[in-house]
Amino acid sequence: MAKFELRKQARMLRFKGISIRTIAKKLDVSKSTASIWCNDIELTVEQKKHLLENALESGLKGRFSGAEANKKKKVESLRLCKEWSQEILHDVNQRDLFIAGIALYWAEGTKKGAKAFNFVNSDPV
């Protein structure tokens, strides 16, 4: 289709209150091209309100889908950690766990250096 026809279609869609992004997708042109073709078209208050509502709804959907993806990633990570720890620590008995717990309770720790975990005892005695 000739650029003149695409431009004409873009302008007709914009007069109907369609977003620049939707016009660009529908006509398979860049957003900047669609924007240039339609930059002199003034939208009505209702059209602007509708576009804003759609943008807010889309943003909300995006945040929810991102949160869901992060949750799935966390659950999978925890599952892998649990499998790994059961594989490595299958011979640990109750006494070993008790001694490790006492050592952790007694020691003081620091998280300095972001990728390290250190045990320290600030009591020199």
Side-chain angles (χ1 to χ4, degrees):
M1 188 179 299
K3 283 194 177 189
F4 178 77
E5 284 297 318
L6 285 175
R7 184 172 190 256
K8 189 175 165 183
Q9 282 186 0
R11 292 181 62 78
M12 285 188 333
L13 290 170
R14 190 61 174 173
F15 274 119
K16 292 179 183 176
I18 307 297
S19 72
I20 295 293
R21 179 184 303 245
T22 304
I23 294 169
K25 282 183 183 178
K26 189 170 188 162
L27 301 179
D28 196 28
V29 296
S30 70
K31 286 191 297 182
S32 62
T33 298
S35 178
I36 290 169
W37 287 345
C38 302
N39 65 357
D40 63 328
I41 297 172
E42 189 66 35
L43 298 176
T44 66
V45 174
E46 293 83 26
Q47 289 172 332
K48 288 179 184 179
K49 182 179 175 186
H50 180 71
L51 288 174
L52 179 62
E53 287 171 358
N54 285 347
L56 293 174
E57 187 178 321
S58 296
L60 187 60
K61 283 180 188 176
R63 284 188 293 280
F64 277 131
S65 66
E68 187 64 30
N70 287 339
K71 183 178 179 182
K72 284 180 183 177
K73 205 159 54 169
K74 179 182 174 185
V75 167
E76 179 62 13
S77 176
L78 289 173
R79 185 189 67 74
L80 290 173
C81 286
K82 187 173 183 179
E83 279 181 15
W84 175 80
S85 65
Q86 287 173 344
E87 210 174 276
I88 299 298
L89 303 173
H90 62 85
D91 290 337
V92 176
N93 60 34
Q94 290 291 20
R95 182 178 181 277
D96 295 338
L97 288 174
F98 180 70
I99 290 171
I102 289 173
L104 289 171
Y105 179 77
W106 187 23
E108 297 176 30
T110 180
K111 293 181 186 173
K112 280 193 175 181
K115 293 186 179 172
F117 186 84
N118 304 310
F119 287 108
V120 295
N121 190 340
S122 59
D123 183 6
V125 180

